[in-house]
PDB file of all heavy atoms in Angstrom:
ATOM      1  N   SER H   1     111.937 103.604  90.180  1.00 92.00           N
ATOM      2  CA  SER H   1     111.886 104.110  91.497  1.00 92.00           C
ATOM      3  C   SER H   1     110.684 103.584  92.283  1.00 92.00           C
ATOM      4  O   SER H   1     109.747 103.080  91.702  1.00 92.00           O
ATOM      5  CB  SER H   1     111.802 105.615  91.384  1.00 92.00           C
ATOM      6  OG  SER H   1     110.562 106.116  91.051  1.00 92.00           O
ATOM      7  N   THR H   2     110.822 103.780  93.504  1.00 97.00           N
ATOM      8  CA  THR H   2     109.741 103.334  94.484  1.00 97.00           C
ATOM      9  C   THR H   2     108.412 104.065  94.209  1.00 97.00           C
ATOM     10  O   THR H   2     107.365 103.582  94.120  1.00 97.00           O
ATOM     11  CB  THR H   2     110.094 103.562  95.952  1.00 97.00           C
ATOM     12  OG1 THR H   2     111.314 102.810  96.237  1.00 97.00           O
ATOM     13  CG2 THR H   2     109.046 103.052  96.875  1.00 97.00           C
ATOM     14  N   VAL H   3     108.564 105.386  93.825  1.00 96.00           N
ATOM     15  CA  VAL H   3     107.394 106.088  93.612  1.00 96.00           C
ATOM     16  C   VAL H   3     106.677 105.722  92.273  1.00 96.00           C
ATOM     17  O   VAL H   3     105.482 105.529  92.217  1.00 96.00           O
ATOM     18  CB  VAL H   3     107.716 107.637  93.406  1.00 96.00           C
ATOM     19  CG1 VAL H   3     106.530 108.460  92.755  1.00 96.00           C
ATOM     20  CG2 VAL H   3     108.143 108.236  94.734  1.00 96.00           C
ATOM     21  N   GLU H   4     107.403 105.320  91.184  1.00 96.00           N
ATOM     22  CA  GLU H   4     106.882 104.684  90.045  1.00 96.00           C
ATOM     23  C   GLU H   4     106.207 103.390  90.332  1.00 96.00           C
ATOM     24  O   GLU H   4     105.142 103.082  89.801  1.00 96.00           O
ATOM     25  CB  GLU H   4     107.942 104.510  88.996  1.00 96.00           C
ATOM     26  CG  GLU H   4     108.367 105.890  88.288  1.00 96.00           C
ATOM     27  CD  GLU H   4     107.158 106.660  87.740  1.00 96.00           C
ATOM     28  OE1 GLU H   4     106.343 106.041  87.095  1.00 96.00           O
ATOM     29  OE2 GLU H   4     107.290 107.883  88.015  1.00 96.00           O
ATOM     30  N   GLU H   5     106.807 102.510  91.074  1.00 96.00           N
ATOM     31  CA  GLU H   5     106.312 101.327  91.546  1.00 96.00           C
ATOM     32  C   GLU H   5     104.892 101.531  92.247  1.00 96.00           C
ATOM     33  O   GLU H   5     103.934 100.781  92.082  1.00 96.00           O
ATOM     34  CB  GLU H   5     107.190 100.445  92.478  1.00 96.00           C
ATOM     35  CG  GLU H   5     108.346 100.035  91.747  1.00 96.00           C
ATOM     36  CD  GLU H   5     109.428  99.465  92.612  1.00 96.00           C
ATOM     37  OE1 GLU H   5     109.343  99.500  93.819  1.00 96.00           O
ATOM     38  OE2 GLU H   5     110.349  98.885  92.112  1.00 96.00           O
ATOM     39  N   ILE H   6     104.919 102.428  93.209  1.00 97.00           N
ATOM     40  CA  ILE H   6     103.632 102.755  93.853  1.00 97.00           C
ATOM     41  C   ILE H   6     102.486 103.276  92.941  1.00 97.00           C
ATOM     42  O   ILE H   6     101.341 102.912  92.996  1.00 97.00           O
ATOM     43  CB  ILE H   6     103.820 103.832  95.091  1.00 97.00           C
ATOM     44  CG1 ILE H   6     104.731 103.307  96.060  1.00 97.00           C
ATOM     45  CG2 ILE H   6     102.542 104.358  95.484  1.00 97.00           C
ATOM     46  CD1 ILE H   6     105.235 104.238  97.103  1.00 97.00           C
ATOM     47  N   LYS H   7     102.933 104.162  91.974  1.00 97.00           N
ATOM     48  CA  LYS H   7     101.982 104.655  90.987  1.00 97.00           C
ATOM     49  C   LYS H   7     101.313 103.525  90.204  1.00 97.00           C
ATOM     50  O   LYS H   7     100.132 103.510  90.063  1.00 97.00           O
ATOM     51  CB  LYS H   7     102.603 105.636  89.931  1.00 97.00           C
ATOM     52  CG  LYS H   7     102.951 106.981  90.638  1.00 97.00           C
ATOM     53  CD  LYS H   7     103.593 107.836  89.570  1.00 97.00           C
ATOM     54  CE  LYS H   7     103.923 109.196  90.071  1.00 97.00           C
ATOM     55  NZ  LYS H   7     104.516 110.027  89.004  1.00 97.00           N
ATOM     56  N   GLN H   8     102.190 102.605  89.747  1.00 97.00           N
ATOM     57  CA  GLN H   8     101.698 101.384  89.051  1.00 97.00           C
ATOM     58  C   GLN H   8     100.820 100.555  89.889  1.00 97.00           C
ATOM     59  O   GLN H   8      99.661 100.098  89.413  1.00 97.00           O
ATOM     60  CB  GLN H   8     102.899 100.625  88.473  1.00 97.00           C
ATOM     61  CG  GLN H   8     103.581 101.255  87.290  1.00 97.00           C
ATOM     62  CD  GLN H   8     104.769 100.373  86.779  1.00 97.00           C
ATOM     63  OE1 GLN H   8     104.998  99.293  87.324  1.00 97.00           O
ATOM     64  NE2 GLN H   8     105.461 100.873  85.751  1.00 97.00           N
ATOM     65  N   ALA H   9     101.109 100.344  91.059  1.00 97.00           N
ATOM     66  CA  ALA H   9     100.277  99.599  91.986  1.00 97.00           C
ATOM     67  C   ALA H   9      98.946 100.229  92.226  1.00 97.00           C
ATOM     68  O   ALA H   9      97.916  99.605  92.334  1.00 97.00           O
ATOM     69  CB  ALA H   9     101.047  99.328  93.405  1.00 97.00           C
ATOM     70  N   VAL H  10      98.912 101.523  92.373  1.00 98.00           N
ATOM     71  CA  VAL H  10      97.638 102.295  92.604  1.00 98.00           C
ATOM     72  C   VAL H  10      96.849 102.157  91.362  1.00 98.00           C
ATOM     73  O   VAL H  10      95.512 102.005  91.431  1.00 98.00           O
ATOM     74  CB  VAL H  10      97.897 103.781  92.901  1.00 98.00           C
ATOM     75  CG1 VAL H  10      96.642 104.546  92.890  1.00 98.00           C
ATOM     76  CG2 VAL H  10      98.526 103.837  94.299  1.00 98.00           C
ATOM     77  N   HIS H  11      97.442 102.368  90.138  1.00 97.00           N
ATOM     78  CA  HIS H  11      96.621 102.193  88.872  1.00 97.00           C
ATOM     79  C   HIS H  11      96.014 100.746  88.708  1.00 97.00           C
ATOM     80  O   HIS H  11      94.982 100.604  88.062  1.00 97.00           O
ATOM     81  CB  HIS H  11      97.551 102.393  87.689  1.00 97.00           C
ATOM     82  CG  HIS H  11      97.726 103.813  87.267  1.00 97.00           C
ATOM     83  ND1 HIS H  11      96.790 104.614  86.761  1.00 97.00           N
ATOM     84  CD2 HIS H  11      98.806 104.627  87.539  1.00 97.00           C
ATOM     85  CE1 HIS H  11      97.160 105.742  86.608  1.00 97.00           C
ATOM     86  NE2 HIS H  11      98.410 105.924  87.067  1.00 97.00           N
ATOM     87  N   ALA H  12      96.677  99.782  89.417  1.00 98.00           N
ATOM     88  CA  ALA H  12      96.108  98.362  89.240  1.00 98.00           C
ATOM     89  C   ALA H  12      95.076  98.036  90.277  1.00 98.00           C
ATOM     90  O   ALA H  12      94.383  97.009  90.219  1.00 98.00           O
ATOM     91  CB  ALA H  12      97.321  97.402  89.468  1.00 98.00           C
ATOM     92  N   LEU H  13      94.759  99.018  91.241  1.00 98.00           N
ATOM     93  CA  LEU H  13      93.763  98.602  92.232  1.00 98.00           C
ATOM     94  C   LEU H  13      92.333  98.570  91.765  1.00 98.00           C
ATOM     95  O   LEU H  13      92.037  99.421  90.736  1.00 98.00           O
ATOM     96  CB  LEU H  13      93.839  99.740  93.374  1.00 98.00           C
ATOM     97  CG  LEU H  13      95.124  99.826  94.251  1.00 98.00           C
ATOM     98  CD1 LEU H  13      94.978 100.979  95.127  1.00 98.00           C
ATOM     99  CD2 LEU H  13      95.287  98.494  94.968  1.00 98.00           C
ATOM    100  N   SER H  14      91.487  97.729  92.252  1.00 98.00           N
ATOM    101  CA  SER H  14      90.077  97.789  91.936  1.00 98.00           C
ATOM    102  C   SER H  14      89.428  99.098  92.486  1.00 98.00           C
ATOM    103  O   SER H  14      90.056  99.773  93.324  1.00 98.00           O
ATOM    104  CB  SER H  14      89.479  96.519  92.599  1.00 98.00           C
ATOM    105  OG  SER H  14      89.428  96.636  94.057  1.00 98.00           O
ATOM    106  N   ALA H  15      88.280  99.332  92.145  1.00 98.00           N
ATOM    107  CA  ALA H  15      87.648 100.526  92.578  1.00 98.00           C
ATOM    108  C   ALA H  15      87.423 100.541  94.142  1.00 98.00           C
ATOM    109  O   ALA H  15      87.623 101.587  94.774  1.00 98.00           O
ATOM    110  CB  ALA H  15      86.260 100.724  91.851  1.00 98.00           C
ATOM    111  N   ILE H  16      87.129  99.343  94.700  1.00 98.00           N
ATOM    112  CA  ILE H  16      86.916  99.266  96.060  1.00 98.00           C
ATOM    113  C   ILE H  16      88.291  99.364  96.802  1.00 98.00           C
ATOM    114  O   ILE H  16      88.363 100.139  97.835  1.00 98.00           O
ATOM    115  CB  ILE H  16      86.326  97.895  96.435  1.00 98.00           C
ATOM    116  CG1 ILE H  16      84.858  97.895  96.031  1.00 98.00           C
ATOM    117  CG2 ILE H  16      86.297  97.594  98.065  1.00 98.00           C
ATOM    118  CD1 ILE H  16      84.236  96.493  96.006  1.00 98.00           C
ATOM    119  N   ASP H  17      89.371  98.767  96.374  1.00 98.00           N
ATOM    120  CA  ASP H  17      90.593  98.832  96.986  1.00 98.00           C
ATOM    121  C   ASP H  17      91.131 100.289  96.777  1.00 98.00           C
ATOM    122  O   ASP H  17      91.812 100.814  97.794  1.00 98.00           O
ATOM    123  CB  ASP H  17      91.633  97.891  96.334  1.00 98.00           C
ATOM    124  CG  ASP H  17      91.422  96.454  96.781  1.00 98.00           C
ATOM    125  OD1 ASP H  17      90.680  96.288  97.805  1.00 98.00           O
ATOM    126  OD2 ASP H  17      91.904  95.527  96.121  1.00 98.00           O
ATOM    127  N   LEU H  18      90.928 100.954  95.690  1.00 98.00           N
ATOM    128  CA  LEU H  18      91.283 102.314  95.590  1.00 98.00           C
ATOM    129  C   LEU H  18      90.637 103.289  96.562  1.00 98.00           C
ATOM    130  O   LEU H  18      91.310 104.136  97.099  1.00 98.00           O
ATOM    131  CB  LEU H  18      91.026 102.811  94.103  1.00 98.00           C
ATOM    132  CG  LEU H  18      91.419 104.249  93.796  1.00 98.00           C
ATOM    133  CD1 LEU H  18      92.982 104.421  94.039  1.00 98.00           C
ATOM    134  CD2 LEU H  18      91.095 104.626  92.322  1.00 98.00           C
ATOM    135  N   ALA H  19      89.352 102.999  96.796  1.00 98.00           N
ATOM    136  CA  ALA H  19      88.532 103.841  97.773  1.00 98.00           C
ATOM    137  C   ALA H  19      89.216 103.566  99.147  1.00 98.00           C
ATOM    138  O   ALA H  19      89.296 104.526 100.030  1.00 98.00           O
ATOM    139  CB  ALA H  19      87.098 103.463  97.759  1.00 98.00           C
ATOM    140  N   THR H  20      89.489 102.317  99.494  1.00 98.00           N
ATOM    141  CA  THR H  20      90.046 102.055 100.765  1.00 98.00           C
ATOM    142  C   THR H  20      91.484 102.652 100.910  1.00 98.00           C
ATOM    143  O   THR H  20      91.818 103.301 101.884  1.00 98.00           O
ATOM    144  CB  THR H  20      90.125 100.486 100.916  1.00 98.00           C
ATOM    145  OG1 THR H  20      88.972  99.906 100.826  1.00 98.00           O
ATOM    146  CG2 THR H  20      90.879 100.104 102.235  1.00 98.00           C
ATOM    147  N   PHE H  21      92.260 102.518  99.819  1.00 98.00           N
ATOM    148  CA  PHE H  21      93.549 103.266  99.968  1.00 98.00           C
ATOM    149  C   PHE H  21      93.445 104.794  99.980  1.00 98.00           C
ATOM    150  O   PHE H  21      94.203 105.369 100.787  1.00 98.00           O
ATOM    151  CB  PHE H  21      94.377 102.805  98.524  1.00 98.00           C
ATOM    152  CG  PHE H  21      95.645 103.638  98.457  1.00 98.00           C
ATOM    153  CD1 PHE H  21      96.702 103.275  99.211  1.00 98.00           C
ATOM    154  CD2 PHE H  21      95.792 104.723  97.548  1.00 98.00           C
ATOM    155  CE1 PHE H  21      97.922 103.980  99.199  1.00 98.00           C
ATOM    156  CE2 PHE H  21      96.897 105.377  97.519  1.00 98.00           C
ATOM    157  CZ  PHE H  21      97.993 105.103  98.263  1.00 98.00           C
ATOM    158  N   ARG H  22      92.403 105.418  99.320  1.00 98.00           N
ATOM    159  CA  ARG H  22      92.314 106.761  99.307  1.00 98.00           C
ATOM    160  C   ARG H  22      91.921 107.219 100.661  1.00 98.00           C
ATOM    161  O   ARG H  22      92.578 108.247 101.200  1.00 98.00           O
ATOM    162  CB  ARG H  22      91.248 107.214  98.403  1.00 98.00           C
ATOM    163  CG  ARG H  22      91.016 108.651  98.155  1.00 98.00           C
ATOM    164  CD  ARG H  22      89.827 109.082  97.093  1.00 98.00           C
ATOM    165  NE  ARG H  22      90.222 108.592  95.861  1.00 98.00           N
ATOM    166  CZ  ARG H  22      89.512 107.772  95.144  1.00 98.00           C
ATOM    167  NH1 ARG H  22      88.437 107.331  95.570  1.00 98.00           N
ATOM    168  NH2 ARG H  22      89.830 107.396  93.853  1.00 98.00           N
ATOM    169  N   ALA H  23      91.074 106.542 101.417  1.00 98.00           N
ATOM    170  CA  ALA H  23      90.713 106.861 102.734  1.00 98.00           C
ATOM    171  C   ALA H  23      91.807 106.687 103.721  1.00 98.00           C
ATOM    172  O   ALA H  23      92.091 107.582 104.492  1.00 98.00           O
ATOM    173  CB  ALA H  23      89.586 105.993 103.186  1.00 98.00           C
ATOM    174  N   TRP H  24      92.570 105.615 103.550  1.00 98.00           N
ATOM    175  CA  TRP H  24      93.805 105.505 104.380  1.00 98.00           C
ATOM    176  C   TRP H  24      94.809 106.566 104.130  1.00 98.00           C
ATOM    177  O   TRP H  24      95.341 107.039 105.119  1.00 98.00           O
ATOM    178  CB  TRP H  24      94.376 104.089 104.099  1.00 98.00           C
ATOM    179  CG  TRP H  24      95.811 103.989 104.713  1.00 98.00           C
ATOM    180  CD1 TRP H  24      96.056 103.590 106.025  1.00 98.00           C
ATOM    181  CD2 TRP H  24      97.137 104.315 104.226  1.00 98.00           C
ATOM    182  NE1 TRP H  24      97.345 103.641 106.348  1.00 98.00           N
ATOM    183  CE2 TRP H  24      98.074 104.128 105.263  1.00 98.00           C
ATOM    184  CE3 TRP H  24      97.463 104.666 102.922  1.00 98.00           C
ATOM    185  CZ2 TRP H  24      99.450 104.277 104.971  1.00 98.00           C
ATOM    186  CZ3 TRP H  24      98.866 104.908 102.775  1.00 98.00           C
ATOM    187  CH2 TRP H  24      99.825 104.771 103.707  1.00 98.00           C
ATOM    188  N   PHE H  25      95.098 106.852 102.888  1.00 98.00           N
ATOM    189  CA  PHE H  25      96.173 107.828 102.579  1.00 98.00           C
ATOM    190  C   PHE H  25      95.644 109.257 103.225  1.00 98.00           C
ATOM    191  O   PHE H  25      96.512 109.955 103.628  1.00 98.00           O
ATOM    192  CB  PHE H  25      96.399 108.020 101.190  1.00 98.00           C
ATOM    193  CG  PHE H  25      97.656 108.840 100.832  1.00 98.00           C
ATOM    194  CD1 PHE H  25      98.886 108.305 101.050  1.00 98.00           C
ATOM    195  CD2 PHE H  25      97.397 110.125 100.435  1.00 98.00           C
ATOM    196  CE1 PHE H  25     100.076 109.191 100.775  1.00 98.00           C
ATOM    197  CE2 PHE H  25      98.515 110.985 100.273  1.00 98.00           C
ATOM    198  CZ  PHE H  25      99.848 110.446 100.510  1.00 98.00           C
ATOM    199  N   ALA H  26      94.304 109.659 103.028  1.00 98.00           N
ATOM    200  CA  ALA H  26      93.933 110.815 103.574  1.00 98.00           C
ATOM    201  C   ALA H  26      94.057 110.900 105.036  1.00 98.00           C
ATOM    202  O   ALA H  26      94.638 111.904 105.600  1.00 98.00           O
ATOM    203  CB  ALA H  26      92.484 111.012 103.254  1.00 98.00           C
ATOM    204  N   ASP H  27      93.916 109.849 105.772  1.00 98.00           N
ATOM    205  CA  ASP H  27      94.216 109.835 107.319  1.00 98.00           C
ATOM    206  C   ASP H  27      95.610 109.904 107.536  1.00 98.00           C
ATOM    207  O   ASP H  27      96.004 110.680 108.436  1.00 98.00           O
ATOM    208  CB  ASP H  27      93.543 108.522 107.830  1.00 98.00           C
ATOM    209  CG  ASP H  27      92.094 108.500 107.911  1.00 98.00           C
ATOM    210  OD1 ASP H  27      91.407 109.677 107.872  1.00 98.00           O
ATOM    211  OD2 ASP H  27      91.526 107.449 108.053  1.00 98.00           O
ATOM    212  N   PHE H  28      96.389 109.160 106.737  1.00 98.00           N
ATOM    213  CA  PHE H  28      97.841 109.183 106.912  1.00 98.00           C
ATOM    214  C   PHE H  28      98.471 110.539 106.687  1.00 98.00           C
ATOM    215  O   PHE H  28      99.185 111.068 107.548  1.00 98.00           O
ATOM    216  CB  PHE H  28      98.492 108.176 105.869  1.00 98.00           C
ATOM    217  CG  PHE H  28      99.987 108.222 105.822  1.00 98.00           C
ATOM    218  CD1 PHE H  28     100.679 107.534 106.797  1.00 98.00           C
ATOM    219  CD2 PHE H  28     100.635 108.849 104.765  1.00 98.00           C
ATOM    220  CE1 PHE H  28     102.130 107.643 106.699  1.00 98.00           C
ATOM    221  CE2 PHE H  28     102.023 108.905 104.671  1.00 98.00           C
ATOM    222  CZ  PHE H  28     102.765 108.205 105.626  1.00 98.00           C
ATOM    223  N   ASP H  29      97.958 111.200 105.573  1.00 98.00           N
ATOM    224  CA  ASP H  29      98.447 112.578 105.285  1.00 98.00           C
ATOM    225  C   ASP H  29      98.088 113.535 106.357  1.00 98.00           C
ATOM    226  O   ASP H  29      98.862 114.449 106.763  1.00 98.00           O
ATOM    227  CB  ASP H  29      97.936 112.986 103.884  1.00 98.00           C
ATOM    228  CG  ASP H  29      98.583 114.101 103.316  1.00 98.00           C
ATOM    229  OD1 ASP H  29      99.963 114.192 103.500  1.00 98.00           O
ATOM    230  OD2 ASP H  29      98.047 114.984 102.659  1.00 98.00           O
ATOM    231  N   ALA H  30      96.770 113.495 106.824  1.00 98.00           N
ATOM    232  CA  ALA H  30      96.289 114.326 107.871  1.00 98.00           C
ATOM    233  C   ALA H  30      97.174 114.119 109.187  1.00 98.00           C
ATOM    234  O   ALA H  30      97.409 115.170 109.877  1.00 98.00           O
ATOM    235  CB  ALA H  30      94.876 114.084 108.179  1.00 98.00           C
ATOM    236  N   ASP H  31      97.443 112.940 109.513  1.00 98.00           N
ATOM    237  CA  ASP H  31      98.276 112.691 110.640  1.00 98.00           C
ATOM    238  C   ASP H  31      99.687 113.378 110.634  1.00 98.00           C
ATOM    239  O   ASP H  31     100.130 113.939 111.589  1.00 98.00           O
ATOM    240  CB  ASP H  31      98.392 111.227 111.019  1.00 98.00           C
ATOM    241  CG  ASP H  31      97.114 110.576 111.489  1.00 98.00           C
ATOM    242  OD1 ASP H  31      96.181 111.310 111.863  1.00 98.00           O
ATOM    243  OD2 ASP H  31      97.041 109.328 111.357  1.00 98.00           O
ATOM    244  N   LEU H  32     100.279 113.121 109.428  1.00 98.00           N
ATOM    245  CA  LEU H  32     101.578 113.922 109.267  1.00 98.00           C
ATOM    246  C   LEU H  32     101.429 115.335 109.294  1.00 98.00           C
ATOM    247  O   LEU H  32     102.372 115.999 109.771  1.00 98.00           O
ATOM    248  CB  LEU H  32     102.173 113.531 107.821  1.00 98.00           C
ATOM    249  CG  LEU H  32     102.658 111.979 107.678  1.00 98.00           C
ATOM    250  CD1 LEU H  32     103.109 111.802 106.174  1.00 98.00           C
ATOM    251  CD2 LEU H  32     103.681 111.684 108.667  1.00 98.00           C
ATOM    252  N   TRP H  33     100.422 115.928 108.711  1.00 98.00           N
ATOM    253  CA  TRP H  33     100.121 117.448 108.821  1.00 98.00           C
ATOM    254  C   TRP H  33     100.015 117.813 110.302  1.00 98.00           C
ATOM    255  O   TRP H  33     100.680 118.821 110.639  1.00 98.00           O
ATOM    256  CB  TRP H  33      98.954 117.724 108.041  1.00 98.00           C
ATOM    257  CG  TRP H  33      98.534 119.173 108.082  1.00 98.00           C
ATOM    258  CD1 TRP H  33      97.711 119.805 109.006  1.00 98.00           C
ATOM    259  CD2 TRP H  33      98.832 120.251 107.233  1.00 98.00           C
ATOM    260  NE1 TRP H  33      97.561 121.058 108.756  1.00 98.00           N
ATOM    261  CE2 TRP H  33      98.344 121.428 107.731  1.00 98.00           C
ATOM    262  CE3 TRP H  33      99.715 120.277 106.069  1.00 98.00           C
ATOM    263  CZ2 TRP H  33      98.536 122.641 106.937  1.00 98.00           C
ATOM    264  CZ3 TRP H  33      99.860 121.482 105.424  1.00 98.00           C
ATOM    265  CH2 TRP H  33      99.287 122.698 105.945  1.00 98.00           C
ATOM    266  N   ASP H  34      99.269 117.069 111.098  1.00 98.00           N
ATOM    267  CA  ASP H  34      99.063 117.369 112.496  1.00 98.00           C
ATOM    268  C   ASP H  34     100.485 117.441 113.249  1.00 98.00           C
ATOM    269  O   ASP H  34     100.689 118.257 114.022  1.00 98.00           O
ATOM    270  CB  ASP H  34      98.142 116.499 113.180  1.00 98.00           C
ATOM    271  CG  ASP H  34      96.647 116.627 112.721  1.00 98.00           C
ATOM    272  OD1 ASP H  34      96.391 117.694 112.088  1.00 98.00           O
ATOM    273  OD2 ASP H  34      95.875 115.717 112.828  1.00 98.00           O
ATOM    274  N   LEU H  35     101.241 116.318 112.894  1.00 98.00           N
ATOM    275  CA  LEU H  35     102.616 116.256 113.479  1.00 98.00           C
ATOM    276  C   LEU H  35     103.467 117.383 113.216  1.00 98.00           C
ATOM    277  O   LEU H  35     104.107 117.997 114.099  1.00 98.00           O
ATOM    278  CB  LEU H  35     103.305 114.965 113.169  1.00 98.00           C
ATOM    279  CG  LEU H  35     102.737 113.652 113.773  1.00 98.00           C
ATOM    280  CD1 LEU H  35     103.539 112.448 113.081  1.00 98.00           C
ATOM    281  CD2 LEU H  35     102.855 113.627 115.253  1.00 98.00           C
ATOM    282  N   GLN H  36     103.458 117.802 111.981  1.00 98.00           N
ATOM    283  CA  GLN H  36     104.195 118.945 111.453  1.00 98.00           C
ATOM    284  C   GLN H  36     103.764 120.259 112.114  1.00 98.00           C
ATOM    285  O   GLN H  36     104.535 121.121 112.628  1.00 98.00           O
ATOM    286  CB  GLN H  36     104.185 119.111 109.988  1.00 98.00           C
ATOM    287  CG  GLN H  36     105.087 120.267 109.536  1.00 98.00           C
ATOM    288  CD  GLN H  36     106.469 119.992 109.805  1.00 98.00           C
ATOM    289  OE1 GLN H  36     107.086 119.019 109.407  1.00 98.00           O
ATOM    290  NE2 GLN H  36     107.215 120.946 110.449  1.00 98.00           N
ATOM    291  N   LEU H  37     102.437 120.434 112.235  1.00 97.00           N
ATOM    292  CA  LEU H  37     101.859 121.607 112.890  1.00 97.00           C
ATOM    293  C   LEU H  37     102.248 121.679 114.352  1.00 97.00           C
ATOM    294  O   LEU H  37     102.664 122.767 114.889  1.00 97.00           O
ATOM    295  CB  LEU H  37     100.370 121.675 112.738  1.00 97.00           C
ATOM    296  CG  LEU H  37      99.639 122.831 113.263  1.00 97.00           C
ATOM    297  CD1 LEU H  37     100.124 124.120 112.656  1.00 97.00           C
ATOM    298  CD2 LEU H  37      98.140 122.731 113.201  1.00 97.00           C
ATOM    299  N   ASP H  38     102.160 120.511 115.013  1.00 97.00           N
ATOM    300  CA  ASP H  38     102.482 120.513 116.448  1.00 97.00           C
ATOM    301  C   ASP H  38     103.993 120.895 116.695  1.00 97.00           C
ATOM    302  O   ASP H  38     104.266 121.609 117.623  1.00 97.00           O
ATOM    303  CB  ASP H  38     102.301 119.098 117.014  1.00 97.00           C
ATOM    304  CG  ASP H  38     100.743 118.740 117.251  1.00 97.00           C
ATOM    305  OD1 ASP H  38      99.989 119.667 117.128  1.00 97.00           O
ATOM    306  OD2 ASP H  38     100.523 117.493 117.446  1.00 97.00           O
ATOM    307  N   GLN H  39     104.869 120.332 115.759  1.00 98.00           N
ATOM    308  CA  GLN H  39     106.304 120.611 115.808  1.00 98.00           C
ATOM    309  C   GLN H  39     106.496 122.107 115.567  1.00 98.00           C
ATOM    310  O   GLN H  39     107.245 122.733 116.297  1.00 98.00           O
ATOM    311  CB  GLN H  39     107.071 119.813 114.787  1.00 98.00           C
ATOM    312  CG  GLN H  39     108.597 120.033 114.944  1.00 98.00           C
ATOM    313  CD  GLN H  39     109.214 119.108 113.885  1.00 98.00           C
ATOM    314  OE1 GLN H  39     108.717 118.362 113.198  1.00 98.00           O
ATOM    315  NE2 GLN H  39     110.659 119.287 113.855  1.00 98.00           N
ATOM    316  N   ASP H  40     105.809 122.704 114.547  1.00 97.00           N
ATOM    317  CA  ASP H  40     105.986 124.108 114.282  1.00 97.00           C
ATOM    318  C   ASP H  40     105.565 125.006 115.423  1.00 97.00           C
ATOM    319  O   ASP H  40     106.163 125.995 115.683  1.00 97.00           O
ATOM    320  CB  ASP H  40     105.250 124.464 112.995  1.00 97.00           C
ATOM    321  CG  ASP H  40     105.812 123.954 111.688  1.00 97.00           C
ATOM    322  OD1 ASP H  40     107.031 123.392 111.817  1.00 97.00           O
ATOM    323  OD2 ASP H  40     105.169 123.928 110.691  1.00 97.00           O
TER     324      ASP H  40
END
């Protein structure tokens, strides 16, 4: 599945790339939360 592929890709990230991904994902998730709250 795509989720399994993503998990494997995340496991393969270097520490720096993981930190970059983590920061990006936190922003991405917060933006989705804001959109849902606005809709609600």
Side-chain angles (χ1 to χ4, degrees):
S1 74
T2 303
V3 172
E4 287 303 319
E5 292 169 350
I6 293 169
K7 286 180 182 180
Q8 286 183 359
V10 169
H11 278 287
L13 293 174
S14 68
I16 291 171
D17 286 343
L18 181 59
T20 301
F21 174 74
R22 186 181 295 124
W24 170 83
F25 190 81
D27 289 341
F28 172 79
D29 196 39
D31 289 344
L32 289 179
W33 177 269
D34 289 344
L35 288 173
Q36 183 64 57
L37 181 60
D38 290 344
Q39 183 178 357
D40 289 346

